[in-house]
């Protein structure tokens, strides 16, 4: 190596060190803001397609950074566009912003006491799935990248998505509607990244899986029509509640006796039963609502077919009638194999190789899958559990809790995935 080459090498090394030092300084400056945003959003949650104040907060922040902002996407979604100093590809980063109809049971100082209406019933509203952390993390990524446009070769599209938990009945929403409205176009997105906090994974760790990572989710509604009678004379009627129990029992045999679970996992769960008005009246009808989770589309077709055959048949055997309606709410979350292989080293670089693992497929679902159907995408899990915790609570429960000292790793990872992808 001659003197000129040595000098150029040293200058290049110093330049890279300066860039890394600048980024690290920006990361440290943003951490307290991210935690503050997260806690404010947690304390003020909003249900799917009703995230008005959350969207306003996001839009104001992006505008303050000089990012081009579009609001009202898929009802309440916000999209930001940040162009780098050099031309190149377009990468999208997604965060979901909606909360759930769950009454919080934590004693956090920023606990939600918000109430709203869901399916005609007053409910508590809580960020019981961590979407508040996703939103705050992406707001932090937007600020860091806006201060480092000289490092961006291409364009970054920030997608703040409403209604990941599903739009209210009779409405469209979520990622599917965003795609329908053209969020992956103008400019056309080349790749998309997303994350999900996990309450049962220690902070400062990351999990991912190439290929099928999360299940497809379907929603089913079963209506059973019997014959009303006095509770003391069941022989004079047809009991839809008893028949509903038989249907539920029958559906579980599809999983336990007809589904090859050594291939992929599958689940049928009934989450809601509505029937009757009084203790001594056998009602005329019953309604059941539930979910089907599958990681293989052939298995899904078989399960759907058997449910559609079994439900009316069981009801008929007891003298009743029953109908079933199945709708799909998410596709399989499939991490593009080439993109995942390309970007996995970035996860290890940011979190440390010892803190990154490959997880098994999960029967939880994510409508991030609809973005992945159109462009290559990568979705990973970010640890949210305090190390040494003796009990961590699952998502969608009143006691769900996240240690927000682990959010900075989310900011760093999403930022570095962006830079490494665009500058590869």
């Amino acid at each position: 190596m001659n003197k000129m080459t040595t000098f150029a090498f040293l200058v290049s090394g110093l330049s890279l060190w300066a860039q890394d030092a600048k980024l690290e300084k920006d990361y440290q400056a943003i951490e307290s803001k991210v935690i503050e945003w997260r806690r404010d959003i947690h304390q003020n949650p909003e249900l799917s397609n009703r995230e008005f104040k959350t969207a306003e907060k996001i839009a104001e922040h992006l505008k303050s950074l000089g990012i081009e902002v579009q609001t009202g996407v898929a009802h309440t979604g916000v999209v930001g566009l940040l162009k780098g100093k050099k031309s190149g590809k377009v990468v999208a980063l997604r965060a979901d912003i909606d909360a759930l109809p769950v009454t919080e049971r934590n004693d956090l100082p920023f606990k939600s006491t918000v109430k709203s209406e869901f399916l005609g019933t007053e409910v508590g509203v809580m960020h019981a799935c961590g979407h508040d952390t996703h939103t705050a993390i992406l707001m932090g990524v937007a600020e860091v990248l806006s201060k480092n446009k000289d490092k961006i070769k291409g364009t970054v599209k920030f997608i703040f998505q409403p209604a990941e938990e599903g739009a209210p009945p009779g409405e469209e929403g979520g990622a599917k509607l965003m795609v329908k409205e053209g969020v992956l176009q103008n400019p056309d997105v080349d790749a998309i990244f997303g994350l999900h906090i996990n309450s049962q994974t220690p902070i400062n760790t990351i999990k991912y899986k190439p290929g099928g990572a999360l299940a497809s989710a379907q929603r089913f509604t079963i209506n059973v029509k019997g014959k009303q009678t006095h509770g003391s004379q069941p022989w004079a009627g047809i009991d839809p509640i008893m028949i509903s129990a038989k249907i539920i029992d029958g559906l579980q045999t599809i999983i336990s006796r007809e589904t090859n679970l050594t291939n992929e996992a599958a689940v049928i769960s009934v989450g809601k039963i509505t029937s009757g008005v009084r203790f001594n009246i056998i009602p005329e009808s019953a309604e059941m609502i539930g979910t089907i989770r599958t990681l293989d589309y052939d298995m899904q077709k078989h399960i759907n077919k058997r449910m559609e055959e079994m439900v009316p048949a069981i009801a008929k055997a007891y003298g009743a009638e029953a109908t079933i309606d199945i709708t799909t709410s998410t596709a399989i979350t499939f991490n593009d194999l080439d993109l995942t292989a390309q970007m996995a080293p970035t996860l290890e670089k940011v979190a440390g190789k010892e803190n990154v693992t490959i997880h098994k497929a999960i029967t939880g679902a994510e409508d991030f899958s609809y973005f992945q159907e159109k462009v290559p995408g990568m979705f990973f899990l970010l640890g949210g559990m305090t190390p040494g915790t003796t009990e961590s609570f699952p998502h969608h429960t009143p006691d769900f809790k996240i240690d927000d000292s682990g959010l900075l790793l989310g900011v760093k990872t999403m930022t570095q995935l962006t830079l490494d992808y665009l500058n590869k």
Side-chain angles (χ1 to χ4, degrees):
M1 186 180 292
N2 59 40
K3 290 182 179 180
M4 289 299 295
T5 304
T6 302
F7 178 75
F9 178 79
L10 290 172
V11 169
S12 176
L14 287 170
S15 176
L16 287 172
W17 178 86
Q19 288 184 17
D20 291 344
K22 170 68 165 55
L23 272 176
E24 191 58 38
K25 183 179 178 182
D26 290 337
Y27 290 144
Q28 298 309 316
I30 203 68
E31 182 175 19
S32 61
K33 291 183 181 181
V34 170
I35 292 173
E36 181 183 348
W37 293 328
R38 181 257 163 161
R39 294 184 176 186
D40 179 66
I41 294 167
H42 186 92
Q43 201 165 19
N44 298 280
E46 296 172 296
L47 295 174
S48 300
N49 277 1
R50 306 291 185 270
E51 309 94 334
F52 303 110
K53 292 181 180 178
T54 306
E56 184 178 350
K57 183 182 184 72
I58 294 165
E60 287 179 357
H61 175 64
L62 297 182
K63 288 175 182 176
S64 74
L65 301 173
I67 292 174
E68 181 184 329
V69 176
Q70 182 183 1
T71 59
V73 184
H75 299 302
T76 51
V78 180
V79 178
L81 203 63
L82 176 64
K83 296 178 181 178
K85 290 292 181 67
K86 300 177 182 178
S87 61
K89 291 190 174 183
V90 179
V91 64
L93 308 176
R94 177 272 206 165
D96 36 12
I97 67 176
D98 56 327
L100 285 159
V102 175
T103 300
E104 187 159 9
R105 200 159 51 199
N106 288 317
D107 56 359
L108 299 171
F110 50 92
K111 169 184 176 179
S112 168
T113 59
V114 172
K115 293 188 179 299
S116 187
E117 185 179 292
F118 182 73
L119 299 179
T121 302
E122 186 181 68
V123 294
V125 184
M126 175 190 175
H127 272 289
C129 201
H131 297 184
D132 52 338
T133 67
H134 307 165
T135 303
I137 286 170
L138 193 54
M139 289 170 68
V141 174
E143 183 159 335
V144 171
L145 287 174
S146 70
K147 293 180 177 180
N148 290 273
K149 288 195 290 186
D150 59 310
K151 299 181 180 67
I152 299 173
K153 185 182 178 182
T155 301
V156 186
K157 184 175 283 191
F158 303 96
I159 300 175
F160 291 87
Q161 178 212 308
E164 191 282 326
E165 299 293 353
E171 297 182 21
E172 289 186 282
K176 193 172 187 178
L177 182 57
M178 282 196 133
V179 171
K180 182 179 177 181
E181 292 185 359
V183 74
L184 298 177
Q185 300 166 339
N186 287 324
D188 293 345
V189 171
D190 294 293
I192 187 167
F193 298 107
L195 62 76
H196 205 300
I197 201 80
N198 188 267
S199 66
Q200 297 174 305
T201 299
I203 60 169
N204 297 324
T205 62
I206 287 173
K207 293 181 178 180
Y208 74 100
K209 181 184 179 299
L214 283 87
S216 166
Q218 293 179 295
R219 182 182 190 270
F220 65 86
T221 302
I222 297 172
N223 283 291
V224 181
K225 184 180 180 182
K227 182 180 178 182
Q228 187 162 315
T229 185
H230 197 290
S232 66
Q233 295 179 306
W235 54 83
I238 300 173
D239 187 350
I241 295 178
M242 179 277 293
I243 294 168
S244 294
K246 297 294 184 180
I247 290 174
I248 293 171
D249 189 43
L251 294 179
Q252 295 312 311
T253 66
I254 298 174
I255 300 298
S256 66
R257 291 296 178 269
E258 298 186 28
T259 304
N260 184 359
L261 300 178
T262 62
N263 180 20
E264 291 286 4
V267 173
I268 301 174
S269 294
V270 175
K272 183 182 181 184
I273 302 178
T274 306
S275 185
V277 294
R278 186 175 167 82
F279 76 98
N280 62 351
I281 300 175
I282 291 176
E284 186 175 58
S285 62
E287 181 187 66
M288 291 175 280
I289 301 174
T291 186
I292 309 160
R293 303 299 173 103
T294 50
L295 286 144
D296 178 279
Y297 287 121
D298 287 335
M299 290 171 68
Q300 183 187 81
K301 289 176 184 177
H302 173 75
I303 291 169
N304 288 179
K305 179 176 179 290
R306 290 295 292 126
M307 290 178 72
E308 289 166 350
E309 293 170 347
M310 186 178 286
V311 167
I314 292 175
K316 184 178 180 181
Y318 291 95
E321 296 178 359
T323 60
I324 179 170
D325 179 60
I326 302 173
T327 58
T328 298
S329 53
T330 67
I332 295 171
T333 302
F334 190 91
N335 284 332
D336 183 84
L337 297 177
D338 291 339
L339 180 66
T340 303
Q342 176 188 335
M343 304 313 301
T346 297
L347 302 181
E348 296 179 354
K349 177 175 67 175
V350 177
K353 191 171 183 178
E354 69 281 6
N355 296 316
V356 178
T357 57
I358 295 178
H359 67 79
K360 293 182 179 180
I362 296 170
T363 49
E366 249 289 344
D367 74 353
F368 184 81
S369 55
Y370 287 117
F371 298 122
Q372 292 175 308
E373 286 186 330
K374 302 297 182 182
V375 298
M378 180 182 179
F379 191 77
F380 63 94
L381 303 181
L382 176 70
M385 179 182 73
T386 303
T389 300
T390 56
E391 184 176 23
S392 59
F393 297 97
H395 295 235
H396 290 219
T397 64
D399 303 295
F400 174 80
K401 190 181 294 186
I402 289 297
D403 185 339
D404 48 23
S405 64
L407 303 187
L408 185 60
L409 178 60
V411 176
K412 290 182 176 181
T413 306
M414 290 289 270
T415 301
Q416 201 62 53
L417 283 169
T418 302
L419 295 176
D420 286 357
Y421 177 80
L422 292 177
N423 298 314
K424 64 180 179 180

